[in-house]
Amino acid sequence: MTDPLLIGLDAGTSSVKAYAFDIAGQPRRQASVKVELSSPRPGWVDMPLDRYWEAVRQALRQVSQGLSGIAGIGLSVTSPTTVFFDRQAQPVRAGIPYLDSRSASYVDDLSAEVGGRDAYQAKVGNQPIPSTCALALAAWARREEPGSWERAVTIGFLNSFLAACLTGELAVDPTTASYSGAVNLAHPYRWSEELCQLMGLAPGKLLPILPPYAKIGEVSAEAAAETGLPAGTPVAVGCADTAAAAFALGLYQRGDAFESAGTSGVLTFCLDQPDFDAAFLNRAHVVPDRWLAHGGMSASGAAIEWLRSRVFKDLATADELEQEARRSVPGAHGVVFLPYLAGERSPIFDPAARGLWIGMRLDTNRADLIRAVYEGVAYGLRQLLERATEHWGFKVSALPCVGGAAMSPLGLQIRADVLGVPYRPATFKHAAAWGAALLGGIAGGIFSGPLDPKLPCLADFGPVVKPDPANRSIYDQLFSVYNRLYPCVKAAMHALP
């Protein structure tokens, strides 16, 4: 008898990755297909869903070809990506991912209606910003795209769309609904009638909220022909990518934490009560009666790539960039960097924030500038760690790390030194894909539920990166400078064109 296999689909903003795993979590086959977003206007970002589904089909065909024994498939998605559906469960326009800001004025209006930002945070559990109030796009569509709004029967998210493509069925899950603006996070499995009324949304406009591991349906004959998956394969509705990564790592106890480091960087903490801090992006967890607090930095990884692709183009690879940074010293000879190249989310929530080097002198060289960027990212993470300690009393003994930064020796050492916490880099960096596969395993009956003791969490880590105590004093000093910088320059940043 063939051992069962699980498919994890990790659907992001720059690529779609599909993995076939055995039930112990070992990848047997993988595929990655690039996707492209469009920007029809400044501040607008669209996801062309027909081309996105084609990328998904390609990835799934590559991993499923010739395989037998596929027991389930689960979905991990970039979140939120809002999708408007017609009566045939087809999207009426391009999806709108979290990078988009067209609904900002509508979010402000909604916030004002409930009594301001603090009142909104208390009522919803998140800051009133477009990326945590996705259904404000309904108000935008009613006014700006009435044709799309008239055709839209229901509203969902990217995993709703992918599940519909695979099974013909529509639903959402609580981890993506958490960023809708229409859910009180203390009760993440039901839509808030009050918030829906404020948004002008009739109850029938929203899809049912199912657990991420719920079997939404089975792969249809049509989808089987397109993807190579066997018809009848159980499909889990899936969840947001960072929630999937937390699930894959087995983090569901109060105070459990990890860093997910990609284009953006996210420091995540697990909560056992809906006790939310306004400096974090908050959502329901995959595990019932648990929540996740994400300290989301908008461009931590992107800042490193910006150095390579825009500033020091002769440094062709990440390794060359790191080698140059090593020519500097801890503290970068007094140069400090604010990594706000795409505005910033946690902890300041300021889309008008800008990047900044400070402390340059005539003897400053590019090694100092590069190292300062690595250190500036670490200072931002330390802000979030100290905020979590202050609000929840969390004491982190070690930080698992997944994603691209888990492959950066210099980045890991700087993070460990600045935060004063040992880092445990995962050897398999695509944790969200394994989390998605586990959801598919539950939907397919391989596992009994999200607390099944047989669930194989990611456990392969590289050598622990320990803080170097010799660097503590210089990083304490410069972190104090970093903490004071943004309040001092905020007005000047906002005055820039």
Side-chain angles (χ1 to χ4, degrees):
M1 182 177 177
T2 303
D3 290 336
L5 298 174
L6 302 174
I7 303 293
L9 182 70
D10 185 15
T13 53
S14 59
S15 67
V16 171
K17 295 178 282 291
Y19 285 84
F21 297 94
D22 64 27
I23 59 171
Q26 295 301 310
R28 295 290 185 84
R29 193 178 289 175
Q30 66 186 69
S32 179
V33 180
K34 289 185 177 180
V35 296
E36 292 186 2
L37 307 179
S38 65
S39 182
R41 295 187 193 177
W44 290 28
V45 183
D46 278 345
M47 179 182 284
L49 291 169
D50 53 345
R51 296 204 295 271
Y52 201 93
W53 173 237
E54 174 55 33
V56 171
R57 290 200 301 261
Q58 288 182 34
L60 289 175
R61 281 197 297 267
Q62 290 177 41
V63 297
S64 64
Q65 187 174 14
L67 288 182
S68 59
I70 297 175
I73 176 172
L75 311 174
S76 158
V77 295
T78 182
S79 173
T81 298
T82 306
V83 182
F84 298 95
F85 296 96
D86 65 15
R87 294 187 184 281
Q88 286 72 47
Q90 296 296 313
V92 304
R93 68 170 324 281
I96 305 177
Y98 74 95
L99 299 164
D100 182 272
S101 60
R102 75 188 72 185
S103 64
S105 64
Y106 296 92
V107 176
D108 290 343
D109 291 344
L110 178 62
S111 174
E113 281 197 59
V114 300
R117 298 183 69 86
D118 291 345
Y120 181 95
Q121 170 80 31
K123 193 176 291 291
V124 175
N126 271 317
Q127 289 268 5
I129 57 175
S131 61
T132 59
C133 190
L135 293 184
L137 287 163
W140 170 85
R142 274 196 302 271
R143 183 168 180 177
E144 308 292 341
E145 279 191 3
S148 296
W149 182 249
E150 288 173 8
R151 293 169 56 207
V153 175
T154 55
I155 309 171
F157 300 98
L158 182 57
N159 56 331
S160 311
F161 167 71
L162 296 175
C165 290
L166 290 168
T167 70
E169 302 295 330
L170 283 169
V172 300
D173 80 284
T175 73
T176 53
S178 294
Y179 286 0
S180 67
V183 165
N184 179 324
L185 291 189
H187 309 286
Y189 279 87
R190 66 174 185 258
W191 302 108
S192 164
E193 292 184 12
E194 177 189 3
L195 292 168
C196 288
Q197 280 186 338
L198 289 170
M199 290 183 176
L201 290 172
K205 208 77 169 176
L206 300 175
L207 299 170
I209 301 176
L210 302 180
Y213 43 86
K215 176 182 169 181
I216 188 174
E218 297 176 345
V219 173
S220 67
E222 180 181 359
E226 292 187 273
T227 64
L229 294 170
T233 301
V235 179
V237 67
C239 67
D241 47 11
T242 314
F247 184 53
L249 289 164
L251 303 181
Y252 58 87
Q253 299 296 339
R254 183 181 187 275
D256 284 349
F258 79 105
E259 184 190 345
S260 175
T263 300
S264 60
V266 185
L267 187 59
T268 295
F269 298 90
C270 182
L271 311 177
D272 63 354
Q273 298 291 331
D275 173 21
F276 306 120
D277 186 292
F280 291 81
L281 301 153
N282 304 297
R283 64 159 35 109
H285 197 350
V286 170
V287 179
D289 298 320
R290 294 291 186 272
W291 291 262
L292 298 172
H294 301 310
M297 297 175 64
S298 295
S300 55
I304 306 298
E305 175 60 21
W306 166 79
L307 283 176
R308 190 195 62 77
S309 63
R310 299 274 185 170
V311 184
F312 303 117
K313 295 184 180 180
D314 59 309
L315 301 174
T317 67
D319 286 343
E320 290 180 16
L321 201 68
E322 289 198 19
Q323 288 172 13
E324 183 69 12
R326 290 180 187 277
R327 293 179 55 243
S328 183
V329 297
H333 290 117
V335 180
V336 177
F337 181 74
L338 285 181
Y340 302 158
L341 298 179
E344 187 56 292
R345 295 181 294 175
S346 301
I348 63 173
F349 290 97
D350 183 358
R354 300 289 185 94
L356 170 71
W357 271 298
I358 190 171
M360 291 180 285
R361 303 175 303 197
L362 287 175
D363 60 350
T364 297
N365 58 38
R366 73 173 183 174
D368 298 327
L369 298 179
I370 294 169
R371 187 177 183 103
V373 173
Y374 283 89
E375 292 175 346
V377 169
Y379 296 142
L381 292 167
R382 180 167 166 179
Q383 277 188 330
L384 297 168
L385 179 62
E386 292 195 354
R387 183 74 177 244
T389 300
E390 178 184 343
H391 186 99
W392 296 297
F394 293 159
K395 303 289 186 184
V396 176
S397 59
L399 267 176
C401 183
V402 300
M407 313 301 288
S408 167
L410 178 66
L412 289 170
Q413 187 63 61
I414 289 174
R415 282 163 158 79
D417 289 352
V418 171
L419 275 67
V421 173
Y423 261 72
R424 300 174 61 229
T427 53
F428 179 67
K429 65 180 181 178
H430 300 296
W434 176 232
L438 289 176
L439 300 178
I442 297 172
I446 300 298
F447 306 111
S448 62
L451 295 175
D452 188 332
K454 293 183 293 184
L455 280 168
C457 300
L458 282 180
D460 291 332
F461 293 91
V464 173
V465 180
K466 297 180 180 179
D468 184 344
N471 298 330
R472 186 68 186 185
S473 61
I474 184 65
Y475 282 138
D476 284 348
Q477 178 186 354
L478 293 179
F479 175 65
S480 176
V481 173
Y482 181 95
N483 258 339
R484 298 197 300 270
L485 270 179
Y486 170 73
C488 290
V489 299
K490 177 180 178 180
M493 287 178 174
H494 285 211
L496 294 170

